[in-house]
Amino acid sequence: MEPRLPGLDSLGPALDAAGREGHLPDPGRSLRPEATRNEADSRAYVRALRSRLSALGYLPDAGTARSGIVDTSLKAAIAQFQRDAGLTVDAWAGPRTWRALRQLTGFEDEQDPNHWTGPLADLSPPAVARAAYLRLFALGAIDRDECLGVDVDLTLAPGTPLALGLERFLGWAHELGATDERLQPRLSAEALAVLYGQDDLVRRLAAQDKAFFDGHRGFVESAACVELWLLGFDVDLADRKARTLRGKRRQRKLKLAVLDFWRQQTASARPDGWARGRVTRRLFDRLAQLDASVEQDEARLETELIDMVSDFTAGERQSFVDRLEDLASSIWDGARRVARYLLSLPGRLLKLLRKGKAAALHLLKNAARFVAVRARRAFGTVRGAVEIVHRGVVYLRDRILPGSDPQALVIAHDRDFDLRTFTHADAERAAVRTLVDAQAHAAVVFGAACAILGALAAIAQQVFSAVHGPTGWMLALLALTRLAGHFRTIHEQVQLVRTYRMNTPSPFANPAGRDDDEE
Amino acid sequence: MSAFDDLFGQITKGIKDLSSLEVTSYEGRVSLTAADLKTASFDKILEGASADAEFRILGSSKSDLDGDMEVFFDKDADAADKEDHRKLVESAQKSRQAILDLFKDAITAAMGRR
């Protein structure tokens, strides 16, 4: 009987279970399945992709935004986005595509355009104009009838919705003191930095007087919607669905959300007249305070959440994970803030969660957001780790190094890592060196794969109990964060392979320029 | 789907002797295409090449876990040949060390649970 490593015996089936649930990509695929790459991704990832592409107007049917299905419309949307973002167009939403999407549509991570990387860095790709349009629309600077569709005019010619919206927003920003002078309506680095500076806008709104709020009702209410949406409240963020929503309904939902927000604050934090549910300076002041909460309290919150979940009865736990299943894939924004927001909640509300009262649903939603951010942070690493393990095993399985050329160099190894090479007497030195470097690269990947497996084996027993269940993998990721040392090992190995550079391309790598590196 | 489980099984399958590591570099001529590599074994390549008069062992090295190492180079091997061979030995050692560390980690983890 072949020896099996302790820990790996149970780790494999657990990861397979997570894969069946759609939480992990399929490691059984071949290395270059051009037609199946999107399909190999998890449903949660596909849903997040759809949601963002739909918000940017790349998916004609906004109703499919929450589907986890990969179809021709999704692939067409990915390809169009890649074209617009200056990325390699292959209709596969790999890490580079995802990163570009996240940069353009996120309200927190990497939101500063000055830090954008890749083709987005020079701010000229059409996708940047589209994202700016979406943001202006969400902040109420573009008329509700001009929602972002596939064929919307994205030029800055005088009188276009984008030009008018940008001019309007930059006027507000100047009034708020975000810019020394009123910026020209161009998609410049300065203008985009203000547009994407959501935290700064909130702080500045917190310092405005009543006259500003009365004179900019649409803007401040839209900004409040964004903030409350990020905190998990049931508001209608102005996106493509806005066309179908009547203004009064949107207003009513915003008012209820503001009321709920204040109800969840301590009595001493509530301002006079909070029960009117209006968007006021005090609302932004409180939002800014929550945002400024000290980060170290995140650790305390995490511990409390884990303890809380582990105390659940079976029924409560099922209810919790059902809710997570519903929410987790659609809430890839705002979790950082929500974690801080949770810190401010009085303990009695935490107790309500266990009693299943309706008021606790908000808490549940926020807890789900918090778990999601952990999952999201780990998501790239986990995907990278799976890929590295896969490549490491492919290296071990294939006795002859992929890319070997009988007219240059053939490299073969056996299970015990003994190497044999055959160099053609007439081979060019550069071709031989390329393959020697490729072998070195394969050894790095294999080493990383083994280190990852070692770390996983060490933590496996501690997280398996969390893995079982419909969203077990997400909970397991949360548990993993407590085992930071081991997880750091995995992360470091993923980073090592990502940053490892050879003199020449590896046969393990995709053709030049393909979207294949983890971010 | 049991992909992960299968993959982990393959990691440890067939490993017999990690105590020594041999790297051998051959040089010669052989008539094969890249497509043939998918079906031909390395032994088959050597078999085809050994008939050629220029077939030779360019370099060979054997290293033991205790650090002992024997190295042989053909008298006509140039500096670039030796450098390539050194790199290959280094990568093979890296792979072997990785699997040894994996065993060590796993055993440590197993002992820690007892």
Side-chain angles (χ1 to χ4, degrees):
Chain A
M1 187 178 164
E2 296 290 348
R4 296 294 299 263
L5 293 179
L8 295 187
D9 280 343
S10 42
L11 181 61
L15 290 175
D16 287 333
R20 279 193 298 275
E21 294 294 331
H23 302 305
L24 285 177
D26 176 10
R29 69 197 191 285
S30 63
L31 276 178
R32 296 179 187 176
E34 305 296 343
T36 59
R37 284 189 154 161
N38 294 303
E39 289 84 344
D41 273 314
S42 65
R43 284 195 302 274
Y45 179 69
V46 172
R47 275 198 289 268
L49 264 181
R50 276 187 173 277
S51 165
R52 296 196 178 215
L53 288 167
S54 175
L56 283 171
Y58 286 106
L59 278 168
D61 182 3
T64 64
R66 295 209 58 206
S67 162
I69 304 296
V70 175
D71 56 18
T72 52
S73 71
L74 177 63
K75 288 179 184 173
I78 294 169
Q80 186 58 45
F81 172 73
Q82 289 173 327
R83 200 170 293 118
D84 282 359
L87 298 163
T88 303
V89 179
D90 59 4
W92 177 57
R96 287 180 193 161
T97 300
W98 172 249
R99 181 171 190 163
L101 262 179
R102 203 173 66 185
Q103 287 173 331
L104 290 174
T105 62
F107 270 99
E108 47 181 31
D109 291 348
E110 299 167 306
Q111 59 181 260
D112 185 351
N114 291 309
H115 295 154
W116 286 353
T117 54
L120 298 180
D122 70 4
L123 311 178
S124 65
V128 172
R130 191 170 273 276
Y133 194 111
L134 174 67
R135 215 155 181 105
L136 291 166
F137 192 80
L139 289 171
I142 289 180
D143 192 89
R144 297 271 170 241
D145 291 334
E146 303 284 355
C147 66
L148 188 52
V150 177
D151 301 318
V152 74
D153 183 355
L154 292 170
T155 67
L156 281 167
T160 62
L162 181 59
L164 291 172
L166 189 56
E167 187 171 14
R168 192 175 293 145
F169 171 79
L170 291 173
W172 298 337
H174 180 53
E175 287 181 63
L176 285 171
T179 58
D180 292 337
E181 56 189 34
R182 189 168 176 147
L183 298 177
Q184 293 297 309
R186 292 186 292 110
L187 295 176
S188 61
E190 295 83 1
L192 287 170
V194 179
L195 181 59
Y196 276 76
Q198 180 72 14
D199 293 345
D200 186 55
L201 285 179
V202 169
R203 282 192 294 273
R204 291 181 184 280
L205 284 168
Q208 300 306 307
D209 57 17
K210 185 172 180 299
F212 183 91
F213 277 75
D214 288 343
H216 301 79
R217 188 51 55 188
F219 169 47
V220 295
E221 288 184 350
S222 294
C225 274
V226 170
E227 287 297 305
L228 292 168
W229 176 78
L230 287 172
L231 292 175
F233 289 95
D234 184 20
V235 291
D236 292 319
L237 194 64
D239 59 15
R240 299 179 67 204
K241 288 179 285 187
R243 177 180 281 179
T244 63
L245 294 169
R246 293 187 180 278
K248 282 187 179 173
R249 181 186 157 192
R250 186 166 181 267
Q251 287 281 337
R252 192 166 59 245
K253 291 184 89 168
L254 173 60
K255 182 176 178 178
L256 289 173
V258 172
L259 285 172
D260 281 347
F261 172 81
W262 286 122
R263 281 194 193 104
Q264 292 183 11
Q265 307 307 303
T266 55
S268 60
R270 293 178 199 141
D272 293 338
W274 67 271
R276 285 198 289 273
R278 286 175 61 82
V279 174
T280 61
R281 180 190 71 77
R282 293 296 301 272
L283 175 67
F284 287 98
D285 190 37
R286 184 66 183 153
L287 288 166
Q289 282 177 24
L290 294 175
D291 195 36
S293 301
V294 283
E295 283 206 7
Q296 54 263 39
D297 278 353
E298 246 187 83
R300 178 177 63 78
L301 174 69
E302 178 185 326
T303 306
E304 285 177 4
L305 274 176
I306 291 170
D307 291 346
M308 189 172 68
V309 173
S310 58
D311 282 348
F312 279 176
T313 64
E316 288 168 339
R317 188 181 175 87
Q318 187 61 46
S319 169
F320 183 76
V321 294
D322 284 350
R323 189 71 179 165
L324 277 176
E325 175 84 344
D326 185 41
L327 291 169
S329 64
S330 61
I331 52 174
W332 290 48
D333 273 305
R336 173 172 59 88
R337 229 169 293 200
V338 170
R340 292 172 178 173
Y341 167 66
L342 274 173
L343 291 174
S344 71
L345 292 172
R348 64 184 179 82
L349 281 177
L350 288 174
K351 290 175 187 167
L352 284 179
L353 182 58
R354 295 203 58 198
K355 293 177 182 172
K357 293 193 176 177
L361 281 180
H362 287 306
L363 268 176
L364 200 53
K365 194 183 284 189
N366 291 336
R369 283 188 186 280
F370 180 69
V371 173
V373 79
R374 293 293 182 169
R376 184 181 58 181
R377 284 177 190 163
F379 192 69
T381 296
V382 171
R383 290 186 72 215
V386 171
E387 190 70 25
I388 290 167
V389 169
H390 184 236
R391 289 183 182 193
V393 172
V394 167
Y395 167 68
L396 197 63
R397 184 189 61 201
D398 295 345
R399 301 300 172 84
I400 291 181
L401 184 77
S404 287
D405 178 358
Q407 301 310 309
L409 180 67
V410 178
I411 300 177
H413 67 85
D414 65 15
R415 287 285 186 194
D416 301 333
F417 306 102
D418 294 335
L419 274 183
R420 289 187 295 169
T421 73
F422 174 80
T423 309
H424 197 280
D426 301 325
E428 290 184 11
R429 175 60 61 187
V432 172
R433 184 55 57 86
T434 296
L435 281 158
V436 170
D437 283 346
Q439 167 64 28
H441 180 255
V444 168
V445 172
F446 182 74
C450 288
I452 288 168
L453 286 173
L456 284 172
I459 60 180
Q461 295 304 318
Q462 299 175 59
V463 297
F464 281 151
S465 59
V467 166
H468 301 298
T471 54
W473 182 245
M474 198 162 285
L475 293 174
L477 286 175
L478 180 60
L480 281 176
T481 64
R482 305 177 86 181
L483 301 157
H486 296 302
F487 195 69
R488 196 172 295 124
T489 300
I490 296 173
H491 183 70
E492 284 169 1
Q493 292 300 324
V494 173
Q495 291 301 111
L496 171 72
V497 172
R498 283 175 190 163
T499 55
Y500 185 86
R501 290 286 177 269
M502 295 194 311
N503 296 329
T504 50
S506 162
F508 278 94
N510 278 329
R514 293 194 68 86
D515 193 2
D516 197 32
D517 292 332
E518 277 293 342
E519 57 189 337
Chain B
M1 183 172 89
S2 59
F4 279 104
D5 201 25
D6 291 345
L7 293 181
F8 294 156
Q10 287 179 38
I11 282 281
T12 50
K13 191 177 177 186
I15 293 175
K16 294 183 178 69
D17 178 21
L18 293 171
S19 62
S20 68
L21 191 66
E22 291 183 29
V23 177
T24 313
S25 303
Y26 302 89
E27 186 182 85
R29 287 189 175 80
V30 68
S31 178
L32 278 175
T33 66
D36 292 332
L37 291 183
K38 289 178 181 169
T39 51
S41 68
F42 193 82
D43 288 333
K44 203 78 178 168
I45 294 170
L46 289 187
E47 194 181 309
S50 60
D52 187 88
E54 290 187 47
F55 180 74
R56 60 178 174 154
I57 295 177
L58 206 55
S60 173
S61 54
K62 181 179 178 188
S63 55
D64 294 333
L65 270 180
D66 59 12
D68 281 354
M69 190 158 178
E70 299 167 20
V71 184
F72 155 81
F73 283 113
D74 183 87
K75 61 182 172 49
D76 293 328
D78 60 20
D81 292 331
K82 290 177 182 174
E83 174 64 8
D84 286 346
H85 186 83
R86 186 193 62 75
K87 280 188 168 182
L88 291 167
V89 170
E90 196 177 287
S91 75
Q93 284 174 333
K94 210 173 270 182
S95 297
R96 178 179 63 170
Q97 191 58 47
I99 204 82
L100 287 171
D101 287 345
L102 176 58
F103 279 124
K104 188 185 74 183
D105 287 347
I107 290 165
T108 305
M111 289 177 71
R113 287 203 305 275
R114 287 188 189 123

